[in-house]
């Protein structure tokens, strides 16, 4: 590597966010995680409700497997 290209490389230290930025970023992340949790919970519950309504094909004593419920 020649000297001119080596001079163009920037070397520095990582940025350390101040407390305000860190607080804002943490709040935004927590809000996103809460929304994802709520959406996932709602979708999973809807799947369980759908599966609970279905009856397994061989259900004389409700001992069907999960595969029976999902088919």
């Amino acid at each position: 590597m020649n000297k001119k290209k080596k001079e163009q490389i920037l070397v520095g230290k990582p940025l350390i966010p101040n407390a305000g930025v860190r607080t804002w970023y943490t709040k935004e992340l927590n809000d996103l995680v809460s929304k994802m949790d709520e959406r996932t919970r709602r979708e999973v519950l809807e799947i369980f409700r759908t599966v609970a309504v279905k009856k397994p094909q061989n259900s004389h004593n409700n001992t069907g497997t999960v595969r029976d419920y999902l088919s």
Side-chain angles (χ1 to χ4, degrees), residues 8-66:
Q8 293 176 352
I9 297 173
L10 296 175
V11 178
K13 296 180 181 180
L15 294 175
I16 300 172
N18 65 31
V21 171
R22 188 176 302 159
T23 301
W24 168 82
Y25 187 73
T26 301
K27 182 188 175 303
E28 292 294 318
L29 282 178
N30 286 336
D31 289 347
L32 286 173
V33 169
S34 294
K35 287 177 184 176
M36 290 186 324
D37 179 55
E38 180 182 330
R39 181 178 177 184
T40 303
R41 193 176 302 267
R42 195 174 347 120
E43 290 175 4
V44 169
L45 285 173
E46 183 61 34
I47 291 169
F48 278 116
R49 284 189 197 109
T50 303
V51 170
V53 171
K54 288 184 177 182
K55 292 189 178 205
Q57 295 166 356
N58 309 343
S59 67
H60 63 279
N61 60 1
N62 281 340
T63 57
T65 64
V66 172

